Amino acid sequence: MRALFIILLCSQQAFAGDTVRLSLQQVVQMAKENSIAAKQAIATKENKYWQWRTFRSNYQPQLSLSGILPGYSKTSTQVLQPNGTILFQPIHYDNSSLTLDFSQTITATGGTIYGTTELQRFNDFDRNSVLYNGVPYAIGYSQPLLQYNSLKWDKRIEPLKYNESRQAYIESQEQIAITVEGYFFDLLLAQVNLQVAGNNLENTERILSIANIKFDLGKVSRNEILQLQLELLNARKAVGTAKRDIEITTLTLRSYTGFEDTGKIALIIPSAVTNMEVSADRVLAEAFENRSDAIAFVRRMAEAQRDVAKAKGQSGLVATLTANLGYSKSASNIPDVYRSPQNQQLLQLQFSIPVLDWGRSKSRTKTAQANEQFTAYAVEQDKQTFKQQIVTQVTLFNMLNEQILSTAQADSIAAEKYKIARERYVLGDLSITDLSIAFQENDQAKRDYINALRDLWGAYYQLRYLSLYDFERNKKISYDTFAKH
C-alpha cells in the first residue's frame, strides 16, 4: 500500500495546477445530483407521486359546475304531423342551464352519494315567452349490488404501488452509485497505469544508459542491450496507451456525472473498508423491509386476488340500486321556481342476469384463480432468488474484504522486490531476464490492488443497493427529496 500512496503523491504533482482532486464518495455524490440518470429518476418519482395524488382524490368529495351559456339556436326542424307527414317549422330560442353537482364515494360498499341543484332558462323568441325550470336540490344514492368494488381494492393496492415507487427511487440512486463506481475505477486504473508507465520509462532509460556504458566496457552482452531497448520501446508504448485511456475514461466519467469543470481530474485512491462486518441475516432483514421488490411481492399477490374478485363480480347477477329524492318546479320567473316546489322521487333497480353464456363467467373466474396460483408460485420463486442473490453478495463482499489486505501486501512486496532487482542489475548481480520478471510482477501487483479495490467497493455498493441500508452509518438509506411534497 505504501507504494500506492507514493504513486498517488506523484500523481498529485503531475496533475498540479488546474487539477481537480476527487474521491470516490465525491464522484458518487456528483453523479447522484447531476447525472441524466438522476434526473430521470426524479422525473419518474414525480410522475408516481402525482399518480398517487390522483388516486387519493378519488376518495375525496367532488364538486363540479356545468352548464350551457348561452344555448342560442335559430334553425328549422322537422315536426311529425297527426296524419304521419312531416313539416319543417322554424324555431328560434335560447335554452341555457347551470348545474352544480356534488358526489362522495363510499369505499366500504362501493356506492356513491350525490346531490345536485339546477336552473334552466328557456326563451322562445318566436312567441316572446320565457320559462324557467329548476331543481332546488336533489340527493341520491347509487349502490352496485354483488359487483366488484374497485374502490376497496384500489385502496389496498395503490398505497403499495406508491411505497414501491418511493423505494425504487432510492434504488435508482444506489444503481447510479454502482455505475459511476465502475467509471471511477476505469479512470483511476488508467491514471495508475500512466504513472507506472512513466516510472518504468524513466527507470528503463536510466538502466539502458548504464548498460550502454557497461557494454562499451564489455561487461554486458549485445542481447541485453537489445532487450533493454525493447523494454524502452514497450515503456513508451505503454505511456501512449495510458494517456489515450485517460482521455477516454475521463470523457466517460465527465459525461455520466455531468461534471463541467474543464480542469484535469486526479482521482484519490479510496481506502479499503476492512473494518466492516456484514451478516447475511442482517442484510436479508433490511432488504425485506426496504426494497421495492419486497413490497412488489405483496402487491403482486394483492393484484392477483383483485383479479379473482373482479372476475367473480362480473359473473352471475349484476345489479345497481339507485334512490333519489328532491324537488323541482317550472315557473315564468326565478323566485317562483323556488316557491313551494314539487317533490320528485326515484327508486330504481337495474339488473342483468346471464341466462346462457356457455360457461364464459365460469371460465373467467377459473382463469383468474389459475393466474392467482401461478402468481403465488412465481412470487415464491422470486423470493428464493432474492434471498440467494443477497446471500451470495454478502459472501462475496466478506471474501473480498478479507483478501484486500493480502493484495495490498503483495503490492508492497512486488514494489520492494523490483527496487532491489533494479539495484542489483545496476551492480551487475542480476540478469536482464530476472529484472524483466520483477518489472512485470511490480506492474501486475499494482493493477491487481486497484482491481481488488474496485471489486470490493463494487460489492459494497451492490450491498447498499440490495438492502437500501448504509452499513457505514448503520441507518436506512433515505433522500430528503421526498420531504418536499
Side-chain angles (χ1 to χ4, degrees):
M1 289 184 67
R2 183 170 58 86
L4 280 174
F5 287 115
I6 293 174
I7 291 174
L8 174 59
L9 181 59
C10 294
S11 298
Q12 294 171 3
Q13 294 172 354
F15 288 107
D18 57 353
T19 300
V20 179
R21 299 176 63 248
L22 297 173
S23 66
L24 174 59
Q25 289 74 18
Q26 288 174 322
V27 171
V28 168
Q29 187 61 34
M30 191 184 305
K32 288 181 179 181
E33 293 176 355
N34 302 323
S35 68
I36 297 298
K39 295 175 182 178
Q40 289 174 333
I42 292 175
T44 301
K45 175 184 69 81
E46 292 290 330
N47 179 275
K48 296 298 183 182
Y49 172 76
W50 291 112
Q51 288 183 23
W52 164 253
R53 288 289 298 270
T54 300
F55 153 75
R56 291 183 59 187
S57 68
N58 295 333
Y59 298 83
Q60 303 301 321
Q62 306 293 316
L63 186 64
S64 62
L65 178 66
S66 60
I68 302 175
L69 288 174
Y72 178 82
S73 178
K74 183 177 182 181
T75 185
S76 296
T77 186
Q78 63 182 23
V79 178
L80 181 64
Q81 302 301 304
N83 60 2
T85 61
I86 292 177
L87 291 179
F88 290 93
Q89 299 289 345
I91 55 174
H92 186 199
Y93 66 87
D94 176 76
N95 188 9
S96 301
S97 64
L98 277 177
T99 303
L100 184 64
D101 292 312
F102 163 84
S103 65
Q104 173 65 63
T105 57
I106 308 299
T107 304
T109 64
T112 303
I113 298 175
Y114 60 89
T116 185
T117 179
E118 180 181 357
L119 180 63
Q120 181 180 4
R121 180 181 185 276
F122 182 79
N123 188 348
D124 188 341
F125 296 110
D126 291 329
R127 297 167 183 79
N128 197 24
S129 64
V130 176
L131 184 64
Y132 291 90
N133 183 65
V135 177
Y137 72 88
I139 59 173
Y141 182 73
S142 178
Q143 176 61 57
L145 303 176
L146 304 176
Q147 293 187 41
Y148 164 70
N149 186 351
S150 61
L151 292 172
K152 183 177 70 175
W153 282 101
D154 286 349
K155 194 169 185 178
R156 176 181 173 184
I157 293 173
E158 291 299 326
L160 292 173
K161 285 185 176 180
Y162 181 56
N163 289 333
E164 187 179 348
S165 72
R166 288 168 61 92
Q167 299 310 107
Y169 172 73
I170 301 177
E171 289 170 14
S172 68
Q173 294 293 304
E174 294 308 305
Q175 183 59 58
I176 290 172
I178 293 173
T179 302
V180 80
E181 178 267 344
Y183 295 148
F184 176 91
F185 277 98
D186 285 342
L187 177 55
L188 179 60
L189 183 59
Q191 291 182 353
V192 169
N193 284 339
L194 177 59
Q195 186 60 38
V196 169
N199 289 339
N200 289 338
L201 177 59
E202 181 180 345
N203 292 332
T204 303
E205 288 176 340
R206 185 168 62 251
I207 292 173
L208 180 58
S209 176
I210 296 173
N212 284 328
I213 296 174
K214 289 184 175 183
F215 178 75
D216 293 338
L217 298 175
K219 293 183 179 181
V220 297
S221 65
R222 178 63 178 171
N223 184 58
E224 289 190 23
I225 295 297
L226 292 176
Q227 180 64 36
L228 286 171
Q229 289 176 346
L230 181 60
E231 295 287 353
L232 181 61
L233 292 174
N234 289 334
R236 289 172 178 169
K237 180 181 177 182
V239 169
T241 301
K243 288 181 178 179
R244 180 202 63 190
D245 291 343
I246 284 180
E247 291 296 327
I248 295 173
T249 53
T250 299
L251 179 61
T252 302
L253 186 66
R254 286 181 183 276
S255 176
Y256 187 81
T257 59
F259 184 61
E260 298 180 353
D261 194 296
T262 58
K264 294 180 180 179
I265 297 176
L267 299 182
I268 301 172
I269 298 177
S271 60
V273 284
T274 55
N275 60 341
M276 186 182 302
E277 294 183 2
V278 179
S279 67
D281 291 340
R282 176 66 181 279
V283 178
L284 280 171
E286 293 296 339
F288 275 100
E289 186 174 346
N290 304 330
R291 281 288 299 279
S292 67
D293 288 342
I295 301 175
F297 295 149
V298 180
R299 188 255 308 161
R300 287 163 61 187
M301 285 305 305
E303 288 177 337
Q305 294 166 1
R306 174 202 62 189
D307 293 342
V308 172
K310 187 175 183 179
K312 290 181 177 180
Q314 294 175 343
S315 304
L317 173 65
V318 177
T320 301
L321 178 65
T322 302
N324 184 293
L325 175 65
Y327 292 88
S328 65
K329 187 179 180 180
S330 298
S332 58
N333 56 73
I334 294 178
D336 288 344
V337 170
Y338 296 93
R339 187 175 294 116
S340 300
Q342 300 175 346
N343 62 43
Q344 61 178 19
Q345 302 172 3
L346 171 67
L347 181 63
Q348 175 180 288
L349 177 64
Q350 184 177 1
F351 65 90
S352 173
I353 304 176
V355 178
L356 184 64
D357 67 353
W358 304 100
R360 179 185 302 169
S361 299
K362 182 179 180 180
S363 298
R364 279 200 299 258
T365 301
K366 291 296 183 181
T367 298
Q369 290 173 339
N371 288 336
E372 180 187 15
Q373 189 63 56
F374 178 82
T375 301
Y377 294 145
V379 166
E380 186 61 31
Q381 179 62 56
D382 290 345
K383 283 183 179 179
Q384 296 299 326
T385 303
F386 184 71
K387 293 178 182 178
Q388 187 60 44
Q389 183 183 16
I390 290 174
V391 172
T392 301
Q393 192 63 36
V394 171
T395 303
L396 176 62
F397 174 77
N398 289 332
M399 181 185 66
L400 292 171
N401 209 10
E402 292 174 358
Q403 291 179 349
I404 192 67
L405 292 179
S406 298
T407 308
Q409 187 176 8
D411 172 59
S412 296
I413 292 173
E416 186 68 20
K417 182 180 177 182
Y418 174 64
K419 179 181 178 182
I420 295 172
R422 191 178 65 224
E423 292 174 353
R424 287 181 60 190
Y425 179 80
V426 171
L427 297 174
D429 191 27
L430 192 71
S431 68
I432 186 64
T433 301
D434 291 335
L435 178 63
S436 296
I437 292 174
F439 167 79
Q440 293 171 5
E441 289 176 346
N442 182 47
D443 286 0
Q444 189 60 46
K446 286 176 172 55
R447 295 187 181 95
D448 287 346
Y449 180 72
I450 296 299
N451 285 323
L453 279 176
R454 176 181 195 151
D455 293 340
L456 179 61
W457 280 101
Y460 171 71
Y461 281 115
Q462 189 70 29
L463 275 183
R464 284 174 56 104
Y465 170 78
L466 290 175
S467 61
L468 299 189
Y469 190 82
D470 188 337
F471 295 96
E472 290 182 293
R473 298 178 176 85
N474 290 320
K475 67 176 184 178
K476 299 182 188 298
I477 298 174
S478 61
Y479 292 93
D480 296 335
T481 48
F482 289 118
K484 294 180 180 180
H485 298 297

